[in-house]
């Protein structure tokens, strides 16, 4: 007889719904006075180490229409490739950089914006370095479970070629969906939920 | 718990047949917002194993009290007064301490405070609908609010959401990030809801249904509902490759 492992099951996900901003960015949706400011809207200060960059993009549905009710969170390493997390064992990350950000899409254009820094490289499990990347998590009405993807940097061609995660994408034509082109200090990263240009999403 | 170092293992694989699928056409908005290609599977890297932490310094005194956190001084929100409490655990049954839990909901009449919302039910001038807290060292959280009302929505001709509270939970790694909804025991609307029905397994739906707890109820004041949240468990790192020298 098989012995029971007595594990619990993860709570099932449900959509964040159209009013996710009431809970996660109340000031953005005109519920003032409850929190002094929305969490995750400011990622850098004067002392944060690293190159300042802006990440701009939209989340686009299967008809080509940008979502105007999505909420995007990002998580990334600091300029030296260290995460500001208790589970980071390789050293202490920049105390002036939490590494986490949250952005609602603009209610008219759907555009999200993050003012952040370019992350350093983080090792893969076998010690090879991954290319610089930012982890994305996308929730919205109509999305039943949050979608995970990564943004890589268009000006990191050599690092991207060596990246062990990008190397696992069998259909090479899909690799560019994860690579954001650079224009000045701005990277544009449009996320396509469905169709011809569908972004690669991860189960990790 | 406090003497233990932080955990650094990868998370258990998500059971994506237990969670709702992306494409659930009876919930119409999912039709154009669901990826059609398979997800790319990978074991967690440091980018997923690590995650942000939040200190109590972000919390205001009334952040977990929706009865008063938007109300004028001396007034409170209108509706059935309830306390919602429970634990954040992982799949191993271990408490998940010191993690941020955020929640949002409609008022007692089912009306959200949001400018894109057009339901005829009135706003409550003393109810905003958002709150947050951080779990204690044993993974417990609690907040006080009013029980939200059911709410009609433009999906089917006559679809109504059951009374629900939205929850957003951080764990200790970004891969544990979860948004879900809490329903109320005994609500006949649960079985009718297209969003609830995005979940196939009745056990998984039961897991999102809070139980009335008369023992935690405060006499002549507020009823209590218990809602435990389970996040992904972690693998032990005992025999896994260590990144020595990196």
């Amino acid at each position: 007889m098989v012995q029971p492992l007595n594990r619990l099951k993860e709570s099932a996900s449900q959509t964040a719904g159209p009013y996710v901003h009431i809970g996660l960015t109340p000031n953005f949706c005109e519920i003032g006075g409850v929190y002094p400011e929305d969490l995750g809207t400011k990622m850098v200060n004067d002392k944060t180490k690293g190159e300042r960059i802006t990440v701009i993009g939209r989340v686009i549905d299967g008809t080509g229409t940008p979502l105007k009710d999505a909420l995007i969170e990002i998580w990334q390493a600091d300029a030296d490739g260290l995460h500001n997390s208790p589970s980071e064992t390789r050293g202490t990350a920049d105390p002036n950089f939490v590494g986490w950000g949250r952005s609602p899409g603009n209610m008219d254009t759907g555009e999200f914006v993050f003012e952040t820094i370019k992350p350093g490289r983080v090792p893969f499990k076998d010690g090879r370095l991954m290319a610089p990347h930012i982890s994305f998590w996308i929730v919205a009405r109509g999305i039943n479970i949050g979608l995970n993807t990564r943004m890589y940097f268009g000006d990191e061609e050599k690092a991207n070629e060596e990246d062990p995660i990008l190397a696992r994408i069998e259909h090479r034509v899909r690799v560019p969906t994860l690579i954001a082109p650079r224009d000045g200090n701005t990277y544009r990263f449009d996320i396509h939920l469905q169709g011809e240009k569908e972004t690669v999403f991860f189960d990790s | 718990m406090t003497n233990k170092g932080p955990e650094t293992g990868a998370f258990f694989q998500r059971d994506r047949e237990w969670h709702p699928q992306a494409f659930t056409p009876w919930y119409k908005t999912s039709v154009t917002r669901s990826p059609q290609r398979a997800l790319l599977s990978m074991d967690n890297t440091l980018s997923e194993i690590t995650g942000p932490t939040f200190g109590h310094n972000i919390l205001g005194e009334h952040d977990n009290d929706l009865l008063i956190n938007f109300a004028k001084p001396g007034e409170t929100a209108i509706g059935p007064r309830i306390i919602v409490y429970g634990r954040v655990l992982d799949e191993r049954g271990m408490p998940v301490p010191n993690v941020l839990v955020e929640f949002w909901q409609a008022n007692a009449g089912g009306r959200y405070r949001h400018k894109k919302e057009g339901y005829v039910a009135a706003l409550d001038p003393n109810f905003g609908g958002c709150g947050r807290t951080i779990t204690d060292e044993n993974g417990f959280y609690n907040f006080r609010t009013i029980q939200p009302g059911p709410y009609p929505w433009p999906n089917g001709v006559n679809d109504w959401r059951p009374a629900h509270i939205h929850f957003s939970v951080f764990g200790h790694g970004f891969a544990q990030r979860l948004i879900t909804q809490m329903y109320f025991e005994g609500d006949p609307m649960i079985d009718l809801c297209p969003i609830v029905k995005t979940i196939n397994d009745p056990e998984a739906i039961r897991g999102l249904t809070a139980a009335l707890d008369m023992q935690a109820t405060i006499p002549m004041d507020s009823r209590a509902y218990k809602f435990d949240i389970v996040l992904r468990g972690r693998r032990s790192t005992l025999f896994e490759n260590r990144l020595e020298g990196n």
Side-chain angles (χ1 to χ4, degrees), chain A residues 158-187:
Chain A
K158 184 171 173 299
N160 291 341
E161 272 169 32
E162 303 168 355
D163 185 81
I165 299 295
L166 291 178
R168 293 197 48 187
I169 300 173
E170 179 190 350
H171 300 105
R172 302 311 292 168
V173 294
R174 303 196 65 205
V175 173
T177 68
L178 301 184
I179 299 176
R182 180 170 189 148
D183 179 10
N185 289 322
T186 298
Y187 294 86

Side-chain angles (χ1 to χ4, degrees), chain A:
Chain A
M1 200 179 89
V2 178
Q3 297 186 44
L5 294 167
N6 292 324
R7 296 231 169 86
L8 303 176
K9 293 293 286 185
E10 188 186 10
S11 296
S13 174
Q14 291 271 262
T15 179
Y19 308 128
V20 58
H21 306 109
I22 292 176
L24 304 191
T25 55
N27 290 291
F28 169 77
C29 69
E30 297 169 21
I31 298 177
V34 183
Y35 309 146
E37 61 183 25
D38 291 335
L39 272 188
T41 45
K42 222 167 142 193
M43 295 183 69
V44 296
N45 63 37
D46 294 347
K47 296 184 200 141
T48 308
K49 286 186 282 183
E51 182 192 353
R52 268 40 175 189
I53 60 166
T54 303
V55 175
I56 292 183
R58 295 169 300 168
V59 182
I60 298 165
D61 76 11
T63 72
T65 309
L67 273 58
K68 293 170 184 173
D69 51 13
L71 182 118
I72 296 95
E73 289 185 2
I74 62 171
W75 172 242
Q76 63 168 98
D78 71 7
D80 294 324
L82 293 168
H83 294 98
N84 197 332
S85 162
S87 301
E88 174 60 82
T89 56
R90 296 165 298 139
T92 304
D94 180 354
N96 289 298
F97 187 63
V98 169
W100 174 80
R102 176 182 273 172
S103 176
N106 179 295
M107 281 194 195
D108 298 318
T109 64
E111 207 161 66
F112 61 78
V113 182
F114 294 99
E115 302 290 346
T116 184
I117 53 126
K118 197 167 176 185
R121 294 179 75 171
V122 175
F124 191 57
K125 200 170 163 179
D126 59 10
R128 278 183 293 163
L129 290 177
M130 294 189 279
H133 63 276
I134 297 177
S135 299
F136 273 68
W137 186 68
I138 301 127
V139 294
R141 173 171 70 105
I143 296 177
N144 290 323
I145 181 165
L147 294 167
N148 294 97
T149 188
R150 286 182 174 197
M151 187 197 101
Y152 287 84
F153 295 82
D155 56 339
E156 294 284 345
E157 270 178 43
K158 184 171 173 299
N160 291 341
E161 272 169 32
E162 303 168 355
D163 185 81
I165 299 295
L166 291 178
R168 293 197 48 187
I169 300 173
E170 179 190 350
H171 300 105
R172 302 311 292 168
V173 294
R174 303 196 65 205
V175 173
T177 68
L178 301 184
I179 299 176
R182 180 170 189 148
D183 179 10
N185 289 322
T186 298
Y187 294 86
R188 173 160 281 281
F189 187 50
D190 281 344
I191 296 160
H192 294 266
L193 297 178
Q194 189 185 84
E196 281 294 296
K197 296 187 244 174
E198 187 171 308
T199 300
V200 174
F201 297 104
F202 294 95
D203 180 16
S204 54

